[in-house]
């Protein structure tokens, strides 16, 4: 079939090379703003238009649902018709499809629950209560178990005589048993179960691999070890793989991302061709010069230099502020000045920071100035109570072993069903090897003491059965459910604003379901739950006219005309926890690189001389990254009172070091604010340079500067 290749004129030389190359494995090193999404979109379009592949033979992976939807829409726009059956989505959504397909082929119920972080914490909380453990926080245990799973360490792999380590092992075992009993997976399990299926079922793996002719992966630098293994299982040398990523933007090490996946791609995929995209289409030259200056200090990277055909643009401004309030005043004043003088919209501005805690002073000043703003990273829409309650009804409808969902909804709204009744239903199911659903329906014959409770349970069962009648259309199911619950009465005692906010949220959920039904062939409850269970913070972002506040991690993939990167002080950015190892500090530098390259025209970098931090006010040292920029001649003071506030001089080369005696001893138990409980196994150096070697409960052994670790004794 002859294909009009005029679309290639819309690509630069390197982008065209990446789109057309289909021989050996391809690694596209795509710098920030260099058009990597365009490359993937046009490559899929080319494969389909050239009849090199059918949609069902393409396996395209992105890192957010939003990115997957946008890519599919772009491909359809280029083709001029809708595309069906193409596997495009996040790694986790792909794994859901693979697991369901496997279960269906094995004549098993393909439906299962996906537990989010709150669900997992509920399971852990119950386990800690049962085991009478009071010295561990559920969220800490969840983080430890997730870390172990990211390293593919199962409970059986844990072997320690130490009591604390044994405690984690026992909790981990019971946690997995609970998930299995509830026919549920947490996010990490979706990856691990897919690997297990491929490892233990060679015929299934081979059949799936043969179906996939083209593998395309976006943001490859953010893949973890499990995701790497999934790709290796699908790639058999006969199909083609293209991965696109930027090692300079690898910022999710704390979630288990392995930068070595992209740095060592050629090692695992022989005969790899590398194409570098270095032309930036987003930022001015002055912004790119600053970004290049910073990132070149990293040692673990593949060499590339961003360049642009744009003008130099305005200078990057580095602003010294008195404290965090003064910083917020400067940022908001400058935003309003640019907005009003240049006719800009609020959506053209973003305030970025290293930690969520930094948002408070900005919010305070913005509210006083009546400036509309949105915080990315607050409670997600689908995690709000009234929404989670309704979704739990849907979840229990498709998976009647889901104990967590049942506990959430059986007495919502209040039906007079107490803990004793619920405990009986669950224990009755276990003792008679029934599903919880069967135990519920048989309550009338098995437990006949309380007529009122029986009536309430019958009403609950009727609601679930009516929702189930609409299981193939999630909008109809939700509409029935909302009509069945008198939310006006339920919220009547709330303040007026809160009441209407919650009612609006429920209407928005109905809108979401309606949109899903209109856009998808599979309109079922199960399909809708799969989609929303894998939402990220940025998927909630609506492109309305409001100023955005967010951590740099949440800003990944976004761009704005005017960007304010705040809190550039040592201990904050780079974060004090990164001082432990060089590799962590390199990730902090990559994080700043991401922040800088979000800006299109104006970039402001701010730091404070004094900041209320970790419950105390202290003088701050400017970020070491500012020195790499060469900031001494670029500082602008936001206040005129420097001498009256501090006479401290910042000398990066010769900071005075005070010798201190060690506070900690070998074999002493300590608690780290991020990594949790551990044991000191060794020490090096002394005073401010003292390094502690600590083994943590999740098996990690880390070298940590004692001065910055913020450790407490166990």
């Amino acid at each position: 079939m002859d294909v009009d290749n005029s679309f290639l004129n819309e690509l630069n030389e390197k982008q065209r090379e990446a789109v057309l190359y289909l021989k050996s494995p391809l690694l596209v090193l795509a710098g920030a703003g260099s058009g990597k999404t365009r490359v993937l979109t046009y490559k899929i379009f080319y494969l389909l238009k050239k009849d090199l592949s059918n949609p069902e033979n393409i396996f395209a992976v992105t890192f957010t649902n939003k990115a997957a939807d946008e890519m599919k829409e772009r491909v359809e726009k280029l083709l001029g018709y809708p595309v069906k059956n193409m596997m495009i989505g996040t790694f986790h959504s792909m794994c859901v499809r693979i697991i369901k397909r496997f279960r269906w082929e094995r004549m098993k119920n393909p439906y299962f629950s996906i537990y989010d972080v709150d669900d997992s914490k509920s399971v852990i909380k119950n386990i800690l209560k049962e085991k009478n453990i009071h010295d561990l926080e559920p969220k800490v245990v969840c983080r430890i178990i997730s870390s172990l799973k990211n390293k593919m360490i199962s409970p059986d792999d844990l072997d320690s005589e130490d009591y604390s380590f044994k405690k984690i092992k026992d909790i981990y075992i019971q946690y997995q048993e609970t998930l299995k009993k509830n026919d549920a997976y947490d996010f990490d399990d979706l990856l691990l179960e897919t690997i297990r299926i491929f490892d233990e079922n060679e015929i299934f793996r081979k059949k799936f691999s043969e179906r996939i002719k083209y593998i395309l992966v976006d943001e490859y630098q953010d893949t973890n070890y499990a995701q790497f293994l999934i790709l290796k299982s699908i790639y058999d040398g006969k199909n083609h793989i293209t991965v696109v990523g930027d090692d300079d933007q690898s910022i999710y090490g704390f979630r288990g991302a392995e930068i070595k996946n992209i740095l060592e791609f050629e090692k695992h995929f022989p005969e790899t061709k590398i194409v570098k995209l270095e032309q930036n289409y987003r930022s001015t030259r002055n912004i790119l010069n600053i970004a290049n200056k910073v990132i070149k200090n990293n040692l673990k990277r593949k060499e590339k230099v961003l360049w642009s055909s744009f003008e130099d643009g305005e200078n990057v401004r580095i602003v010294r502020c008195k404290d965090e309030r003064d910083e917020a005043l400067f940022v908001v004043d400058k935003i309003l000045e640019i907005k009003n003088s240049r006719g800009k919209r609020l959506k053209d501005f973003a305030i970025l920071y290293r930690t969520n805690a930094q948002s408070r002073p900005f919010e305070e000043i913005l509210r006083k100035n009546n400036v509309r703003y949105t915080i990315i990273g607050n409670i997600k829409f689908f995690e709000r109570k009234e929404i989670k309650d309704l979704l739990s009804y849907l979840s229990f409808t498709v998976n009647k072993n889901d104990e967590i969902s049942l506990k959430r909804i059986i007495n919502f709204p209040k039906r007079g069903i107490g803990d004793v009744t619920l405990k009986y239903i669950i224990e009755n199911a276990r003792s008679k090897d029934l599903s919880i659903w069967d135990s519920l329906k048989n309550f009338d014959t098995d437990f006949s003491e309380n007529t009122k409770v029986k009536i309430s349970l019958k009403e609950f069962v009727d609601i679930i059965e009516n929702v189930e009648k609409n299981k193939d259309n999630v909008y109809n199911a939700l509409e029935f459910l909302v009509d069945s619950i008198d939310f006006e009465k339920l919220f009547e005692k709330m303040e007026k604003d809160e009441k209407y906010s919650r009612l609006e949220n429920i209407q928005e959920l109905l809108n979401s379901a309606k949109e899903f039904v209109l856009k998808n062939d599979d309109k079922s409850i199960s399909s809708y739950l799969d989609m929303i269970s894998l939402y990220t913070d940025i998927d909630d972002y609506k492109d309305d006219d409001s100023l955005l506040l967010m951590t740099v991690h949440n800003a990944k993939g976004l761009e704005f005309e005017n960007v304010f990167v705040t809190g550039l002080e040592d201990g904050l950015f780079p974060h004090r926890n990164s001082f432990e190892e060089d590799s962590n500090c390199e990730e902090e530098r990559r994080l700043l690189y991401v922040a800088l390259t979000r800006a299109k025209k104006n970039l402001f970098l701010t730091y404070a001389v004094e900041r209320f931090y970790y419950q105390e006010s202290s003088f701050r040292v400017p970020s070491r990254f500012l020195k790499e920029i060469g900031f001494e001649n670029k500082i602008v003071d936001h206040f005129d009172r420097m001498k009256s506030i501090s006479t401290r001089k910042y000398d990066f080369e010769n900071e005075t070091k005070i010798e201190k005696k060690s506070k900690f001893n070998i074999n002493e138990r300590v608690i780290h604010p991020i990594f949790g409980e551990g044991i000191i196994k060794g020490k090096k150096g002394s005073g401010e340079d003292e390094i502690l070697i600590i083994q943590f409960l999740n098996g990690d052994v880390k070298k940590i500067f004692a001065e910055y670790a913020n450790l407490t004794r166990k």
Side-chain angles (χ1 to χ4, degrees), residues 206-302:
K206 190 174 180 182
K207 185 167 69 171
F208 188 84
S209 177
E210 287 174 350
R211 175 193 168 186
I212 303 302
K213 289 185 178 180
Y214 296 96
I215 304 166
L216 301 100
V217 186
D218 193 11
E219 305 286 7
Y220 187 69
Q221 76 280 349
D222 292 328
T223 53
N224 60 29
Y225 183 54
Q227 290 161 342
F228 162 76
L229 290 179
I230 289 169
L231 292 175
K232 285 288 286 182
S233 295
I234 298 172
Y235 177 74
D236 61 5
K238 297 175 185 176
N239 43 24
H240 182 266
I241 184 169
T242 295
V243 303
V244 180
D246 182 6
D247 49 303
D248 290 336
Q249 295 186 74
S250 179
I251 60 173
Y252 295 114
F254 68 98
R255 291 183 188 168
E258 294 274 8
I259 190 174
K260 67 180 182 181
N261 285 355
I262 192 167
L263 295 178
E264 299 177 2
F265 183 82
E266 310 96 299
K267 176 181 173 182
H268 299 289
F269 296 88
E271 300 181 36
T272 291
K273 178 179 178 62
I274 297 176
V275 174
K276 294 183 181 181
L277 304 183
E278 297 172 291
Q279 183 175 0
N280 176 283
Y281 292 92
R282 176 186 299 156
S283 308
T284 63
R285 288 177 185 167
N286 280 333
I287 292 171
L288 294 183
N289 288 341
I290 292 289
N292 286 328
K293 272 187 177 182
V294 169
I295 202 61
K296 74 177 184 181
N297 291 279
N298 271 5
L299 300 177
K300 294 180 181 177
R301 66 184 295 260
K302 290 180 178 285

Side-chain angles (χ1 to χ4, degrees), residues 151-187:
K151 298 181 180 72
M152 299 191 66
I153 298 172
S154 71
D156 294 337
D157 296 327
L158 293 175
D159 184 22
S160 175
E161 298 301 318
D162 184 271
Y163 173 69
S164 294
F165 285 73
K166 186 177 184 303
K167 230 178 358 180
I168 290 294
K169 179 175 181 175
D170 291 343
I171 295 167
Y172 190 0
I173 289 171
Q174 191 168 333
Y175 174 72
Q176 291 303 110
E177 288 175 350
T178 302
L179 292 185
K180 186 176 181 180
K181 178 182 65 185
N182 290 358
D183 202 3
Y185 299 103
D186 64 20
F187 290 157

Side-chain angles (χ1 to χ4, degrees), residues 657-671:
K657 295 182 179 178
I658 304 170
E659 291 297 321
K660 300 177 183 178
K661 292 184 179 180
S662 179
K663 302 177 185 176
F664 301 102
N665 301 311
I666 292 176
N667 294 325
E668 187 173 10
R669 291 184 175 283
V670 291
I671 298 175

Side-chain angles (χ1 to χ4, degrees), residues 43-90:
K43 188 149 197 164
I44 294 172
F45 165 67
Y46 180 72
L47 293 172
L48 296 175
K49 194 73 175 174
K50 189 86 172 175
D51 285 340
L52 295 170
S53 176
N54 293 320
E56 60 267 24
N57 303 130
I58 291 175
F59 186 90
V61 184
T62 65
F63 264 76
T64 67
N65 294 285
K66 189 181 180 73
D69 290 343
E70 288 175 355
M71 190 178 292
K72 185 171 183 289
E73 287 171 7
R74 287 189 194 183
V75 170
E76 290 179 338
K77 187 175 181 181
L78 287 168
L79 288 169
Y81 56 82
V83 179
K84 295 182 179 181
N85 302 321
M86 183 166 63
M87 291 190 72
I88 181 168
T90 64

